[in-house]
Amino acid sequence: NAGVTQTPKFRVLKTGQSMTLLCAQDMNHEYMYWYRQDPGMGLRLIHYSVGEGTTAKGEVPDGYNVSRLKKQNFLLGLESAAPSQTSVYFCASSYSKPGTYEQYFGPGTRLTVT
Amino acid sequence: GEDVEQSLFLSVREGDSSVINCTYTDSSSTYLYWYKQEPGAGLQLLTYIFSNMDMKQDQRLTVLLNKKDKHLSLRIADTQTGDSAIYFCAESMGGSSNTGKLIFGQGTTLQVKP
């Protein structure tokens, strides 16, 4: 199993450009999450999904959109990138049955917006 | 709202014990977690504790939970240079509509000196 994979690993955008980050998991997890990580601020939840076709806002959703058309994929879109969106983005997934809800993380995407 | 606080930095000598502390606010959290992030990588679950437990031991790791004070700690015995990483405390969001969402602290950078 590859676990959780993210593409791309690095990206540089100019202000106003758009892009999509792809997250894929092969563990048949129901739940998926997108976080951003900034120095001294931990991980902040952007959007999440509790199943195919469903998405919900997290703590910092502004400027981002998501889609979960297939259970194994969770896409994060930036329609008009801003320098404030320079960050490291992590995708995670977890089982839905009651339990520990361990989240499995991808390796991250480092995004720079100039 | 929910909040998780950690000190940002801890430095220890190889062979000493490390204690990383965390405070949280959501008294309905069912699970509390410790994640480890090595440089350039995603987060990996180290250990977790159920909210009705006071202590959990797993090899060199000891987790202590003081539910009254909403205080969680992670003790690493015989700290090695390979333990150098960022350690995140996280709490699960309680309530009947648990979506697996976690609230993360800012992360504690552990530096282990030889």
Side-chain angles (χ1 to χ4, degrees):
Chain A
N1 286 353
V4 180
T5 58
Q6 292 182 233
T7 51
K9 288 188 169 49
F10 302 95
R11 186 72 187 267
V12 179
L13 286 180
K14 293 189 190 308
T15 298
Q17 288 185 318
S18 63
M19 78 163 293
T20 301
L21 282 67
L22 171 64
C23 176
Q25 52 93 6
D26 60 2
M27 296 174 281
N28 202 34
H29 286 167
E30 286 291 333
Y31 295 173
M32 295 186 75
Y33 314 85
W34 274 107
Y35 295 93
R36 60 178 289 172
Q37 183 180 26
D38 302 292
M41 299 188 75
L43 272 76
R44 293 182 291 168
L45 184 65
I46 304 171
H47 285 281
Y48 65 99
S49 168
V50 298
E52 182 178 316
T54 71
T55 62
K57 293 180 180 180
E59 185 186 357
V60 289
D62 294 342
Y64 305 95
N65 56 74
V66 287
S67 64
R68 184 101 182 266
L69 298 179
K70 291 182 179 180
K71 185 177 182 179
Q72 63 267 35
N73 295 337
F74 194 28
L75 278 64
L76 178 72
L78 286 73
E79 289 184 348
S80 179
S84 62
Q85 293 178 304
T86 293
S87 188
V88 181
Y89 292 85
F90 287 99
C91 175
S93 67
S94 70
Y95 290 108
S96 62
K97 62 184 179 184
T100 65
Y101 293 115
E102 175 182 355
Q103 292 190 10
Y104 295 77
F105 282 80
T109 296
R110 187 173 293 275
L111 175 67
T112 302
V113 183
T114 61
Chain B
E2 299 88 0
D3 197 16
V4 178
E5 297 281 339
Q6 298 177 242
S7 54
L8 294 183
F9 187 77
L10 175 66
S11 180
V12 301
R13 292 230 170 260
E14 193 173 18
D16 289 349
S17 291
S18 308
V19 179
I20 302 171
N21 295 301
C22 168
T23 57
Y24 63 97
T25 56
D26 186 1
S27 57
S28 65
S29 292
T30 49
Y31 290 94
L32 294 132
Y33 306 81
W34 285 104
Y35 279 82
K36 178 182 180 182
Q37 183 183 31
E38 296 186 350
L43 279 69
Q44 279 192 298
L45 181 67
L46 263 185
T47 187
Y48 65 91
I49 188 166
F50 190 48
S51 59
N52 68 355
M53 297 169 66
D54 298 325
M55 186 180 89
K56 180 178 180 181
Q57 188 144 8
D58 185 0
Q59 298 183 334
R60 292 190 297 123
L61 306 178
T62 303
V63 178
L64 294 177
L65 175 59
N66 181 329
K67 204 170 179 184
K68 173 175 166 290
D69 295 338
K70 298 196 182 88
H71 183 266
L72 183 73
S73 68
L74 173 70
R75 179 177 179 269
I76 306 173
D78 188 25
T79 312
Q80 303 297 307
T81 54
D83 295 323
S84 294
I86 303 176
Y87 291 81
F88 290 92
C89 168
E91 62 172 342
S92 62
M93 294 181 68
S96 60
S97 60
N98 198 329
T99 55
K101 288 194 290 181
L102 300 180
I103 303 294
F104 287 87
Q106 310 94 312
T108 299
T109 297
L110 175 64
Q111 180 189 67
V112 183
K113 296 180 181 177

